[in-house]
Amino acid sequence: MTSIRAGLKRSRSPSLSSSIPSSPSKSSHSEKKLRLAASYSSESPYPTFPHPTPEDAHAVYEVLAKAHPQHARSRLPPKASNNSAQTCGSTNNVIDSLIGVILSQNTSGKNSSSAKASLDTAFGKHNFAAIAEASTAKVVEAIRHGGLANKKAATIQKLLGSIKEKHGKYSLQHLADQNKSDEEIMNELIAYDGVGPKTASCVLLFCLGRDSFAVDTHVFRLSKFLGWVPEKADRVMAQAHLDKRVPDEVKYGLHVLMIQHGRVCKGCKKAGSREPCILKEYRKGTKAENVEDGEDLKSVMT
């Protein structure tokens, strides 16, 4: 088994419902996110769905690690100099990580990293007060390269305003406290408008060094392809399920490898593709069946 440096082990955290932070300006959408997170704090939303098993997760990690050895690596420590949009939030400043992940949504890595570099040039790296207090038009212009600039600029400025309102300063570094549970951190992050479970999970995984399994479009598609989530699952429910099922020691490596494979493999991007894919071969080898409807998964591999 390829060695992966696991994150620090922690005792089981208290339930989400017992640690939901108060917020002076919590929206109804934020309340909904917190209630949903609390519902699945201790078990999967699909408790009788048995996949992936720990063996499934380790096996797929090994298959993908052989196919993409340059991405089969131990957890990389976050660096202040990193472009947080280019590195899925891998920087040691929590707000910078959040902004980077927001900018990376619904666009390419090249576009999002360009937008983040432009934002830093326009306002100064970590000069969150300048971003918050600028006209929205100026922020939009700075991040225009990344797409959806109007929406993302408004989200970033509202996020910064909420952080300042709650904490009296532009900082979330208290979330780096090792005594805080993953659930406490997740709850504070998703309480902010514009921050969903995937964005928060990326911050946990890449910025704070926690064992969290973020589900983006690539991970979601491949998880369905592998039969790891029910067909009816959406991305939020898939993340809640997979975060409970994937072992901590492979969460980082498997996430990175699934994203890389999802980006480059033509064989599993479209249903019915006849291009080769190592995951097709893996599924054929396991002769697994879809436990939800009993149908042979071979039909989705050809």
Side-chain angles (χ1 to χ4, degrees), residues 172-209:
L172 289 176
Q173 290 310 108
H174 63 282
L175 297 181
D177 184 347
Q178 291 298 308
N179 291 318
K180 282 193 173 290
S181 69
D182 294 353
E183 286 82 1
E184 287 177 296
I185 298 169
M186 174 67 78
N187 274 333
E188 172 154 353
L189 292 176
I190 65 173
Y192 295 113
D193 284 342
V195 179
K198 191 271 287 188
T199 296
S201 182
C202 284
V203 174
L204 280 158
L205 183 64
F206 291 102
C207 173
L208 298 173

Side-chain angles (χ1 to χ4, degrees), residues 125-241:
K125 195 172 180 69
H126 299 173
N127 192 353
F128 306 123
I131 298 172
E133 295 162 11
S135 68
T136 301
K138 187 173 181 181
V139 180
V140 168
E141 185 58 33
I143 65 173
R144 191 173 299 281
H145 308 79
L148 299 176
N150 290 327
K151 180 179 180 180
K152 291 177 182 179
T155 296
I156 290 168
Q157 287 190 303
K158 185 173 183 179
L159 170 65
L160 291 172
S162 297
I163 291 169
K164 177 69 180 299
E165 181 183 4
K166 181 173 183 178
H167 297 292
K169 58 183 178 179
Y170 297 107
S171 176
L172 289 176
Q173 290 310 108
H174 63 282
L175 297 181
D177 184 347
Q178 291 298 308
N179 291 318
K180 282 193 173 290
S181 69
D182 294 353
E183 286 82 1
E184 287 177 296
I185 298 169
M186 174 67 78
N187 274 333
E188 172 154 353
L189 292 176
I190 65 173
Y192 295 113
D193 284 342
V195 179
K198 191 271 287 188
T199 296
S201 182
C202 284
V203 174
L204 280 158
L205 183 64
F206 291 102
C207 173
L208 298 173
R210 303 297 183 107
D211 296 317
S212 186
F213 196 70
V215 175
D216 77 336
T217 53
H218 297 296
V219 175
F220 182 53
R221 176 169 52 80
L222 292 179
S223 295
K224 283 204 166 184
F225 181 80
L226 289 164
W228 283 6
V229 294
E231 277 301 311
K232 64 182 180 182
D234 61 17
R235 260 175 53 183
V236 172
M237 293 295 98
Q239 180 167 309
H241 174 71

Side-chain angles (χ1 to χ4, degrees), residues 102-114:
I102 289 168
L103 289 175
S104 71
Q105 294 168 359
N106 301 303
T107 190
S108 68
K110 180 180 178 180
N111 287 345
S112 62
S113 59
S114 176

Side-chain angles (χ1 to χ4, degrees), residues 270-288:
K270 293 182 180 180
S273 171
R274 297 192 178 277
E275 295 284 340
C277 170
I278 52 168
L279 292 182
K280 288 180 182 179
E281 297 305 313
Y282 165 76
R283 291 302 294 170
K284 288 176 182 177
T286 62
K287 297 181 180 179

